[in-house]
Amino acid sequence: MKTIIFFLLFSISVFAQKTELKSGDLLFININCGGMCDAINAVTEGFNGNDFNHVGMVYSDNNKDFFVYEAISKGVVKTPINDFLKRTDVVYKGTLTEPFQHLIPLAATFCQMQLGVPYDNDFLYDNGKYYCSELIYDAFKFANNNKPFFKLFPMTYKEPNSENFFPVWVEHFAKQGIEIPEGEPGCNPGGMSLDKKIKMAELKF
């Protein structure tokens, strides 16, 4: 009985959230991926001071079946909205302001074309692979006549107010066999959530 009640409550919650969503909405969440996520949160800040370390884009062909385009460890994928929402208790959506709504179909087309592209474990922009916010950045750049829509900033892998790199990044890039790309251009979900061209709001469970 408890399992049935939980399922019903979750289904009602998901339905309520779907009614708040529309194609092109960006979903910002904070997932637990250990030391790497902790390091990202330590040097980035999102809307209203929230920690966001993952972002994906909502899309629906029929305004009934929603899914999320996202770049995760297995690459660029198309995730059912229910599966995406199960990962966290707190979700913020970023809705493009009216002057930019026309970019959404082309941004979605771009994401569709990238399905199966590998995840960018090197965190290097324009290397034929994608991490989460990089996919969204390029999608809207493509839709915007190849002109940047969101901003790139110098990336940092150092501990706050220190010249020391986070140990987790030292280990990670050693495994990748590359130098730590300190200062190279990139983007992150927190910074993207602060962009004035989107309106942020918390989804209520």
Side-chain angles (χ1 to χ4, degrees), residues 111-181:
C111 289
Q112 180 70 26
M113 293 188 300
Q114 308 314 308
L115 292 177
V117 170
Y119 185 75
D120 186 6
N121 276 306
D122 297 334
F123 297 99
L124 291 171
Y125 180 64
D126 199 24
N127 64 348
K129 299 182 286 186
Y130 283 111
Y131 54 85
C132 66
S133 54
E134 184 182 17
L135 173 67
I136 303 304
Y137 176 91
D138 265 7
F140 282 95
K141 180 181 178 183
F142 173 83
N144 196 35
N145 293 317
N146 210 34
K147 298 176 182 177
F149 181 79
F150 292 107
K151 295 180 180 179
L152 296 178
F153 298 95
M155 301 275 272
T156 184
Y157 301 90
K158 293 180 178 179
E159 298 172 345
N161 304 311
S162 171
E163 289 301 310
N164 298 320
F165 290 107
F166 283 97
V168 67
W169 289 126
V170 174
E171 181 180 353
H172 173 79
F173 287 110
K175 288 180 179 179
Q176 294 300 110
I178 63 173
E179 293 185 7
I180 298 176

Side-chain angles (χ1 to χ4, degrees), residues 57-124:
M57 187 180 80
V58 174
Y59 199 72
S60 173
D61 295 321
N62 54 20
N63 291 320
K64 180 181 178 182
D65 300 314
F66 288 83
F67 55 85
V68 180
Y69 285 120
E70 59 177 339
I72 56 177
S73 59
K74 57 184 177 182
V76 178
V77 296
K78 185 177 176 180
T79 303
I81 187 68
N82 294 13
D83 294 341
F84 186 93
L85 295 175
K86 287 177 183 177
R87 298 177 191 161
T88 180
D89 294 330
V90 179
V91 183
Y92 276 78
K93 68 171 180 176
T95 301
L96 270 68
T97 55
E98 189 58 38
F100 307 107
Q101 287 283 315
H102 69 282
L103 299 177
I104 291 169
L106 274 179
T109 296
F110 179 89
C111 289
Q112 180 70 26
M113 293 188 300
Q114 308 314 308
L115 292 177
V117 170
Y119 185 75
D120 186 6
N121 276 306
D122 297 334
F123 297 99
L124 291 171

Side-chain angles (χ1 to χ4, degrees), residues 18-70:
K18 283 183 178 180
T19 63
E20 296 183 53
L21 294 173
K22 60 182 180 180
S23 292
D25 282 346
L26 304 180
L27 297 185
F28 295 88
I29 62 176
N30 186 38
I31 56 177
N32 181 11
C33 65
M36 191 174 292
C37 283
D38 292 340
I40 293 171
N41 290 339
V43 297
T44 63
E45 184 171 318
F47 175 75
N48 279 355
N50 285 278
D51 287 329
F52 299 127
N53 52 38
H54 188 61
V55 60
M57 187 180 80
V58 174
Y59 199 72
S60 173
D61 295 321
N62 54 20
N63 291 320
K64 180 181 178 182
D65 300 314
F66 288 83
F67 55 85
V68 180
Y69 285 120
E70 59 177 339

